[in-house]
Amino acid sequence: MKAVRIHAYGDRSVLRYEDAPLPECGDDDVLIRVIAAAVNPVDWKIREGYLKEMLPYKLPLTPGWDVAGIVERVGSKVSGVAVGDRVYSRPDISRQGSYAEYIAVRASEVAAMPRTLGYAAAASLPLAGITAWESLIDKGNLQAGQSVLIHAAAGGVGSLAVQLAKWRGAHVIATASAANVALVQSLGADEVIDYRTMPFAEHVRDVDLVFDTVGGDVQEQSWSVLKAGGTLVSIVAPPDAARAAAAGVQGKFVFIQPSATILRELATLADAGQLRPLIGAEFGLERIAEAHALSESGRTVGKIVLHIGKP
Ligand SMILES: NC(=O)c1ccc[n+]([C@@H]2O[C@H](COP(=O)([O-])OP(=O)(O)OC[C@H]3O[C@@H](n4cnc5c(N)ncnc54)[C@H](OP(=O)(O)O)[C@@H]3O)[C@@H](O)[C@H]2O)c1
């Protein structure tokens, strides 16, 4: 099969579009024929070797941990998933990924694709959608009537987080650069701050929840906009516990794991028209270096999708 693999950590030149062996389908796995995958910032962070202590891969590695496709084979212990099913997944990040014509995924990590979405839209949901759900709903405990500040609302995670927070009944304040303000409003944000011309910490007060998708200075300045007892959830850097205590708030960190349960929730919302995946760019697998360059630029709008197989 064709795949993109890396044989060493490094810059984009280590990405090789090449022939690779078909993945083995273990007893608990399903083998998926990949129709579409998506690119996430973690892909190039792993490619660079930034996470090699935490995730000690045996190279060569096929990156990519978002997939939508068709089940080609099921392992001997698998039930509930059948050959021919249209499925999507954010598979275990410690295993080989989805920049390939086939991927083996634990059956417990796949869910039926949203009925109303095509493969590209479905592939853009799992990693970013599970992250937004876990951050806002599981860790952030966001309730109707509460207010939330969502940073980088035009990005892959942020664009889904805005929609989830609105569905939850929250008042949504979002940050984006001027070019993306109208887009973020169209996703349902009640207020959008052009963070480049308007320092958000001077304009936001007493929110129940901050969703930090940027880290660094953005996280540091976010403490002051929370109400007493509020919560900051970061997906970029673990919040400093002493800093949180001093501000009288909670700081939490999320590093997501596969979740078929959340995928089923996301599919229900997508099919009800309440969650609209935003695709900002699409590439063929052989153009992976361009896709990584875009992700590394930090200017992605919505998700970057890779078209791999024919439906
Ligand atoms: N811990 C986890 O489990 C987990 C899971 C998923 C993602 N992440 C991490 O979360 C981060 C976001 O992921 P993503 O997929 O959403 O990234 P992304 O799609 O690449 O985000 C790009 C967006 O960031 C916005 N942006 C950049 N700097 C900003 C700033 N200072 N303030 C507000 N917006 C800013 C840009 O908007 P403008 O062009 O409008 O500025 C752009 O739309 C990444 O670091 C990723 O690795 C972690």
Side-chain angles (χ1 to χ4, degrees), residues 261-300:
T261 306
I262 297 177
L263 288 178
R264 284 190 275 274
E265 300 273 12
L266 297 173
T268 301
L269 287 180
D271 287 339
Q274 283 165 316
L275 191 62
R276 178 173 59 121
L278 184 62
I279 298 175
E282 302 176 66
F283 297 91
L285 192 53
E286 67 288 352
R287 290 177 62 201
I288 189 63
E290 287 169 72
H292 272 216
L294 175 59
S295 181
E296 288 170 64
S297 76
R299 298 276 76 85
T300 310

Side-chain angles (χ1 to χ4, degrees), residues 41 45 131 152 156-157 175 177 180 195 213 235 254-256 298-300:
K45 292 177 185 177
T131 304
V157 175
T175 64
S177 57
N180 293 324
Y195 66 92
T213 57
I235 56 171
V254 164
F255 191 88
I256 63 147
R299 298 276 76 85
T300 310

Side-chain angles (χ1 to χ4, degrees), residues 1-5 7 16-22 60 62 100-101:
M1 67 167 185
K2 287 291 182 199
V4 167
R5 299 194 295 176
H7 295 254
R16 284 203 213 155
Y17 178 64
E18 61 187 10
D19 290 316
L22 205 64
T62 302
E101 289 178 309

Side-chain angles (χ1 to χ4, degrees), residues 16 49 60 73 120 123 168:
R16 284 203 213 155
R73 195 178 304 159
R168 198 76 171 169

Side-chain angles (χ1 to χ4, degrees), residues 185-304:
Q185 281 167 339
S186 77
L187 298 173
D190 298 288
E191 299 174 48
V192 186
I193 294 173
D194 168 9
Y195 66 92
R196 294 182 188 204
T197 58
M198 203 189 268
F200 72 87
E202 290 176 17
H203 295 271
V204 182
R205 279 285 163 274
D206 292 336
V207 294
D208 295 282
L209 180 64
V210 172
F211 186 22
D212 168 32
T213 57
V214 180
D217 204 37
V218 167
Q219 183 180 108
E220 181 53 34
Q221 290 186 35
S222 290
W223 296 114
S224 68
V225 311
L226 282 163
K227 65 168 57 156
T231 304
L232 183 151
V233 176
S234 181
I235 56 171
V236 180
D240 181 59
R243 189 77 185 74
V249 299
Q250 296 187 71
K252 298 181 180 178
F253 182 65
V254 164
F255 191 88
I256 63 147
Q257 301 300 324
S259 173
T261 306
I262 297 177
L263 288 178
R264 284 190 275 274
E265 300 273 12
L266 297 173
T268 301
L269 287 180
D271 287 339
Q274 283 165 316
L275 191 62
R276 178 173 59 121
L278 184 62
I279 298 175
E282 302 176 66
F283 297 91
L285 192 53
E286 67 288 352
R287 290 177 62 201
I288 189 63
E290 287 169 72
H292 272 216
L294 175 59
S295 181
E296 288 170 64
S297 76
R299 298 276 76 85
T300 310
V301 174
K303 297 294 305 178
I304 301 169

